[in-house]
Amino acid sequence: MARKRVVQRAAVGVLGKHITRRSHGKCELCGSREGPALYELPPFPPDPDPDRTLMACASCRSWLEHGKVEPIRAHFLRNAAWSDEPAVRLGACRLLVLVEAPDDPWLRDTLEAVGFDPATGE
């Protein structure tokens, strides 16, 4: 089943300064400083919301947009899933459910511990 590509809204740019300060100019999922940019997590609220927006590098944005995660590189998501920032936790958990190793104990334990509901994606 093909995933519908989510187009990011230009309006999320109003959060740029706040999110850049919060993230210290790096990807909030993996910590990379290579080309971080704002990424708003769907479904989009009426107004841009910092609790649904994170700073993500090109690799993490690609994973979020295309729904494909490289399992061997995904272990950093375990730490991101415990972030104090709601958008970072949500983004990390949405990526964790895409890892094609549902029986992997670290993956299952992380999702259960943070209380993510794969059925709703929240």
Side-chain angles (χ1 to χ4, degrees):
M1 181 173 134
R3 287 182 58 139
K4 181 182 174 192
R5 184 164 178 353
V6 176
V7 177
Q8 296 294 295
R9 300 183 298 176
V12 78
V14 300
L15 298 175
K17 187 182 263 186
H18 171 75
I19 305 293
T20 300
R21 265 193 223 122
R22 182 181 81 193
S23 70
H24 303 287
K26 60 185 178 181
C27 178
E28 293 182 280
L29 295 170
C30 72
S32 172
R33 291 196 180 272
E34 297 296 318
L38 294 175
Y39 186 86
E40 189 176 24
L41 297 164
F44 303 141
D47 295 315
D49 182 354
D51 287 346
R52 299 215 48 102
T53 307
L54 57 95
M55 190 69 77
C57 67
S59 292
C60 290
R61 279 193 316 272
S62 177
W63 289 2
L64 287 162
E65 291 171 357
H66 302 292
K68 292 186 179 185
V69 175
E70 297 174 40
I72 197 76
R73 293 183 52 216
H75 283 270
F76 66 82
L77 293 170
R78 177 182 359 190
N79 294 333
W82 288 101
S83 172
D84 291 335
E85 296 299 332
V88 178
R89 273 195 318 270
L90 181 58
C93 289
R94 285 184 177 178
L95 290 175
L96 284 171
V97 297
L98 298 173
V99 175
E100 294 178 6
D103 295 328
D104 197 330
W106 76 267
L107 179 66
R108 186 181 59 245
D109 292 347
T110 300
L111 288 170
E112 287 175 6
V114 297
F116 182 74
D117 183 0
T120 64
E122 297 288 329

